[in-house]
Amino acid sequence: MTPSKKSALKENDGVSQPETTNALSISKIKASRKKERSVESLVSAILEGNITALSQAITLVESKNPQHLEKANAIIKQCLPHANTSVRIGITGVPGVGKSTFIEAFGMHLTAIGKKVAVLAVDPSSSITKGSILGDKTRMEDLVKNKNAFIRPSASGASLGGVARKTRESIILCEAAGYNSIIIETVGVGQSETAVHSMVDFFLLLKLAGAGDELQGIKRGIIEMADSIAINKSDGDNIKATKLAKVEFNRALHLYPEKASNWQPKVTTCSAINEEGIDEIWTIISDYVTLTKGNQFFNDNRREQNKFWLIQTIEEQLKNDFFNNTEVKVELAKQLQLIEDNKTTPFVAADYLLKLKV
Amino acid sequence: MTPSKKSALKENDGVSQPETTNALSISKIKASRKKERSVESLVSAILEGNITALSQAITLVESKNPQHLEKANAIIKQCLPHANTSVRIGITGVPGVGKSTFIEAFGMHLTAIGKKVAVLAVDPSSSITKGSILGDKTRMEDLVKNKNAFIRPSASGASLGGVARKTRESIILCEAAGYNSIIIETVGVGQSETAVHSMVDFFLLLKLAGAGDELQGIKRGIIEMADSIAINKSDGDNIKATKLAKVEFNRALHLYPEKASNWQPKVTTCSAINEEGIDEIWTIISDYVTLTKGNQFFNDNRREQNKFWLIQTIEEQLKNDFFNNTEVKVELAKQLQLIEDNKTTPFVAADYLLKLKV
């Protein structure tokens, strides 16, 4: 793996490397940062599908440096008219379900039928584990080398909101670079599935037969969000069990009211490792796109998602600004003590805090 | 029923009357409003357990008039040291489960063993139906006449937040007036159950045998919130079915992780109409109180609830202040259009709106 190889460049940029190549990786990243490119240069390269430019732009989006963010916003603004032509597919499933193997097989199938595939991830926990998702590229070795695939690990960050925002902006950049199939991977941690659901057109839930976590899925609303459930590892001795699970999940899905999209969620089985049943999943997604583009849900949903993100961002910022204010912090502690001592009510205390000039 | 009767006064104040007595009711309410009492006079009357004073204070809490609210806050502040000695019990269940009959039987049982019972309700929909819950007093005719019971229908209001706030403040007033068993009733509408759960010590879910809405209860998190499930209408031909349902709900409850209170939720059967199994439910609640007062959960939970209401109230107010600002409304509409035209992203639009001097 030498720095001159295009595929290596694509993989390494912004990704933690195995220990043996860390020094090489760091010097390479530093070198690429020295030659800072202008907004115009980056935008025109992105629109030509240049992977290095795309990676650099995403690095700007993920930066904490205000100047970088300003530059990122300018790039995104110019890319916007060229985005929006893709299908955005969310994929979730518990660890062990075979997500990486599935994305490898699914991505290879999509490129084989002429698609350009970008794989992004939303994993707020990756700030600790340095990109746990997609970090283990050995499971996606064919897709990593594929010239029509772009793989980028999750942005790291303390808050899900921040990570989700960065991923959402990266989608626009990938679409401008000509990727028409955007896969957003997430693990079933906290609210990350809800965040991914609110940025994709189609939500795919990977399951195993007999995992017995249906109640968990119902409770957390994951099954309700799914446009399709694919029961993976349908191979060898496991085929009978996955067929049974298919019947059960079909029954469970019928307990839910009809979706706003008018789409009836489909349950299917697949074996990612044997590359079986993968084409069927793409057919399901294509059917979904045809239906929802026909009945306007596809565009209506993207519009609602944009509105959701606008309101969500404002609300988060209002809360952060208020509760991170030094005076508020001091007075909040005092008011909490007064409440505990039965000397005020939460509502009177709230009025008092809101009247502080913040 | 003449205006001089104490029980009639208690019932009528703030409650919609049957058509035949409306004129009488209105003139009576108007008359009572003329003689406006001072904060001190109301507080001392409340502390003596005067029902008319309590009703008047709750009317001030529910008022939209800023002067009334100021007066209400002063009353609550003086009542606070006298509150907090009660058990607050939330009761929910779908329409038809027999909630009114249950509260009648349960309330009568509590007064029979020497308790003073206040029944309040959280029903945001009551702004339309003018107090649908508890409006049908014919189902609670004994409790209405009971001198140790105080029944007040839901405050009306556009938002659940507003209704919940008023109910929460009314709890304090009722406790100051010597009511030591506070029942908060809600119907399973929207988020009202979550709101009630966050203001009570104990949450009771009423169910019917074979209603088949378990999935709904799991999905909406109601079963997870329950400290006890009582399967009502366990009488006549229905006894066998309720016993079976008891086994099933016990099994379902064991799927959930242990509660922070260390309490294992109990399932029981009852027949409210025959007044059977009602004492058992009070025993369960007493056991819960003993356990949670022993392990500090009771007080810790009330503290957490207060904190929750403080933060919740501030967040709601921050959002209201921002989004109801005239300039924000105009600019928000413009930014949404720009997003739709692909000329900006939700995040850039949010930054722009937040920079408006609001």
Side-chain angles (χ1 to χ4, degrees):
Chain A
M1 204 187 273
T2 65
S4 64
K5 272 191 189 166
K6 206 170 184 184
S7 65
L9 243 186
K10 176 180 64 176
E11 184 190 2
N12 295 341
D13 207 359
V15 180
S16 302
Q17 286 299 303
E19 278 177 28
T20 48
T21 56
N22 258 349
L24 177 62
S25 165
I26 289 165
S27 68
K28 202 172 57 184
I29 290 171
K30 279 189 179 164
S32 81
R33 281 190 184 154
K34 269 179 206 157
K35 33 171 178 155
E36 253 198 33
R37 296 169 66 170
S38 70
V39 169
E40 289 65 31
S41 151
L42 279 169
V43 169
S44 66
I46 289 169
L47 295 181
E48 282 164 12
N50 182 299
I51 283 176
T52 311
L54 176 59
S55 291
Q56 286 176 350
I58 293 180
T59 301
L60 290 174
V61 163
E62 294 176 353
S63 170
K64 286 188 164 59
N65 178 329
Q67 282 182 318
H68 289 174
L69 291 180
E70 206 176 302
K71 205 167 165 183
N73 282 343
I75 294 168
I76 291 167
K77 193 168 180 178
Q78 291 186 41
C79 283
L80 270 173
H82 306 277
N84 243 350
T85 55
S86 72
V87 180
R88 302 168 185 167
I89 304 159
I91 297 183
T92 190
V94 295
V97 77
K99 230 164 24 252
S100 298
T101 314
F102 178 84
I103 291 172
E104 162 97 345
F106 186 59
M108 290 304 285
H109 175 73
L110 292 182
T111 57
I113 60 172
K115 306 281 175 192
K116 283 189 75 179
V117 180
V119 183
L120 307 172
V122 171
D123 179 11
S125 66
S126 71
S127 53
I128 300 155
T129 55
K130 304 252 174 201
S132 58
I133 300 193
L134 298 177
D136 187 3
K137 292 285 184 64
T138 53
R139 295 192 198 165
M140 295 196 208
E141 51 185 7
D142 288 334
L143 199 60
V144 162
K145 291 182 213 142
N146 190 310
K147 70 175 175 47
N148 286 316
F150 173 78
I151 302 179
R152 178 91 182 188
S154 177
S156 64
S159 78
L160 172 60
V163 173
R165 169 182 179 151
K166 288 163 186 174
T167 304
R168 215 166 178 286
E169 297 191 329
S170 300
I171 292 175
I172 293 165
L173 297 174
C174 290
E175 289 172 350
Y179 294 91
N180 52 17
S181 304
I182 314 288
I183 295 172
I184 317 288
E185 181 190 18
T186 186
V187 282
V189 174
Q191 295 292 306
S192 62
E193 276 146 333
T194 310
V196 168
H197 181 254
S198 67
M199 64 174 80
V200 298
D201 306 310
F202 187 94
F203 197 69
L204 175 66
L205 172 59
L206 294 181
K207 295 292 277 184
L208 294 179
D213 56 351
E214 289 75 11
L215 182 73
Q216 199 61 22
I218 292 171
K219 264 174 62 186
R220 295 183 45 234
I222 311 298
I223 289 180
E224 194 163 10
M225 292 193 295
D227 295 303
S228 178
I229 297 174
I231 302 148
N232 193 25
K233 303 195 181 175
S234 181
D235 35 47
D237 295 343
N238 204 31
I239 291 178
K240 202 174 158 188
T242 53
K243 281 187 179 163
L244 192 65
K246 181 177 167 178
V247 174
E248 281 166 6
F249 276 111
N250 255 322
R251 198 183 297 138
L253 282 173
H254 277 88
L255 293 172
Y256 289 93
E258 197 176 14
K259 288 186 170 237
S261 56
N262 265 326
W263 171 255
Q264 173 62 45
K266 302 278 184 294
V267 185
T268 181
T269 61
C270 67
S271 168
I273 205 144
N274 295 341
E275 296 165 33
E276 286 165 4
I278 303 297
D279 50 346
E280 195 186 333
I281 291 167
W282 176 247
T283 304
I284 289 171
I285 295 173
S286 302
D287 289 349
Y288 174 88
V289 171
T290 304
L291 174 82
T292 56
K293 285 202 168 167
N295 67 18
Q296 300 304 319
F297 179 82
F298 192 93
N299 286 327
D300 289 348
N301 186 44
R302 284 204 174 180
R303 194 178 304 120
E304 285 305 310
Q305 288 179 339
N306 278 326
K307 197 172 165 184
F308 168 82
W309 284 101
L310 171 61
I311 303 296
Q312 183 87 347
T313 306
I314 290 174
E315 290 184 357
E316 269 183 33
Q317 200 57 47
L318 288 174
K319 288 190 249 174
N320 285 345
D321 289 350
F322 186 83
F323 289 108
N324 288 329
N325 176 282
T326 316
E327 193 186 355
V328 168
K329 279 184 185 173
V330 172
E331 294 296 323
L332 178 61
K334 285 186 197 166
Q335 291 296 318
L336 284 170
Q337 189 58 51
L338 287 174
I339 291 172
E340 201 159 323
D341 298 342
N342 255 336
K343 285 185 180 143
T344 188
T345 70
F347 304 108
V348 174
D351 284 345
Y352 171 81
L353 290 168
L354 284 162
K355 277 179 189 144
L356 298 172
K357 288 287 161 247
V358 179
Chain B
M1 205 185 272
T2 66
S4 63
K5 272 191 190 167
K6 206 170 185 184
S7 65
L9 244 186
K10 177 180 66 180
E11 183 190 3
N12 295 341
D13 207 358
V15 179
S16 302
Q17 286 301 302
E19 278 178 28
T20 48
T21 57
N22 259 349
L24 177 63
S25 165
I26 289 165
S27 69
K28 202 171 53 184
I29 291 170
K30 280 188 180 166
S32 81
R33 282 189 183 155
K34 270 177 203 160
K35 32 170 179 159
E36 253 198 37
R37 295 169 66 170
S38 69
V39 169
E40 288 66 32
S41 151
L42 280 169
V43 169
S44 66
I46 289 169
L47 295 181
E48 283 164 11
N50 182 299
I51 283 176
T52 311
L54 176 59
S55 291
Q56 285 177 350
I58 294 180
T59 301
L60 290 174
V61 163
E62 292 177 352
S63 171
K64 287 189 163 62
N65 179 329
Q67 284 183 314
H68 289 174
L69 291 180
E70 207 175 303
K71 205 167 165 183
N73 282 342
I75 294 168
I76 292 166
K77 195 168 180 179
Q78 292 187 39
C79 285
L80 269 172
H82 306 277
N84 243 350
T85 57
S86 72
V87 180
R88 302 169 185 165
I89 304 159
I91 298 184
T92 189
V94 295
V97 77
K99 232 167 19 258
S100 299
T101 314
F102 178 84
I103 292 172
E104 162 97 343
F106 186 60
M108 289 304 284
H109 175 73
L110 291 182
T111 56
I113 60 171
K115 306 282 175 191
K116 283 190 76 181
V117 180
V119 183
L120 307 171
V122 172
D123 178 13
S125 66
S126 73
S127 54
I128 300 156
T129 55
K130 302 255 175 199
S132 58
I133 299 194
L134 300 176
D136 189 3
K137 292 283 184 65
T138 53
R139 294 192 201 166
M140 294 195 209
E141 51 185 9
D142 288 333
L143 199 60
V144 162
K145 290 182 214 143
N146 190 310
K147 71 176 173 49
N148 287 317
F150 174 78
I151 302 180
R152 178 90 182 190
S154 178
S156 64
S159 78
L160 172 61
V163 173
R165 170 183 178 148
K166 288 164 186 174
T167 304
R168 216 166 177 287
E169 298 192 329
S170 300
I171 293 175
I172 293 166
L173 297 175
C174 290
E175 289 173 350
Y179 294 91
N180 52 15
S181 304
I182 314 289
I183 295 173
I184 316 288
E185 180 191 19
T186 186
V187 282
V189 174
Q191 296 292 308
S192 62
E193 276 146 335
T194 311
V196 168
H197 181 253
S198 66
M199 64 175 82
V200 298
D201 307 310
F202 187 95
F203 197 68
L204 175 67
L205 172 59
L206 293 182
K207 294 292 277 183
L208 293 178
D213 56 350
E214 289 76 10
L215 182 74
Q216 199 62 21
I218 293 169
K219 263 175 62 188
R220 297 181 44 234
I222 310 298
I223 289 180
E224 195 163 9
M225 293 193 294
D227 294 303
S228 178
I229 298 174
I231 302 149
N232 193 22
K233 304 194 182 176
S234 181
D235 35 48
D237 296 344
N238 204 31
I239 292 178
K240 202 176 158 186
T242 52
K243 282 187 178 165
L244 192 66
K246 182 178 167 178
V247 174
E248 282 166 5
F249 276 111
N250 255 322
R251 197 183 295 136
L253 281 174
H254 277 89
L255 293 171
Y256 290 93
E258 196 177 15
K259 291 190 168 229
S261 56
N262 265 326
W263 172 255
Q264 173 62 45
K266 302 277 183 297
V267 186
T268 181
T269 60
C270 66
S271 167
I273 205 145
N274 294 341
E275 296 164 34
E276 286 166 3
I278 303 297
D279 50 346
E280 196 186 332
I281 292 168
W282 176 247
T283 304
I284 289 172
I285 295 173
S286 302
D287 288 349
Y288 173 88
V289 172
T290 304
L291 176 82
T292 55
K293 284 203 168 166
N295 67 18
Q296 300 302 322
F297 179 82
F298 192 93
N299 286 326
D300 290 350
N301 185 45
R302 284 205 174 179
R303 195 178 303 117
E304 284 306 308
Q305 288 179 341
N306 278 326
K307 196 171 167 185
F308 168 82
W309 283 102
L310 171 62
I311 303 297
Q312 182 86 349
T313 305
I314 290 174
E315 290 184 358
E316 268 182 34
Q317 199 58 48
L318 287 173
K319 288 190 247 173
N320 284 345
D321 288 351
F322 186 83
F323 288 109
N324 287 329
N325 176 283
T326 316
E327 192 185 357
V328 168
K329 279 184 184 172
V330 173
E331 292 297 322
L332 177 61
K334 284 186 197 165
Q335 291 296 318
L336 284 171
Q337 190 58 50
L338 287 173
I339 291 172
E340 201 158 325
D341 298 343
N342 256 336
K343 285 184 179 143
T344 189
T345 70
F347 305 107
V348 174
D351 284 344
Y352 171 80
L353 291 169
L354 284 162
K355 278 178 187 142
L356 297 173
K357 288 287 161 247
V358 180

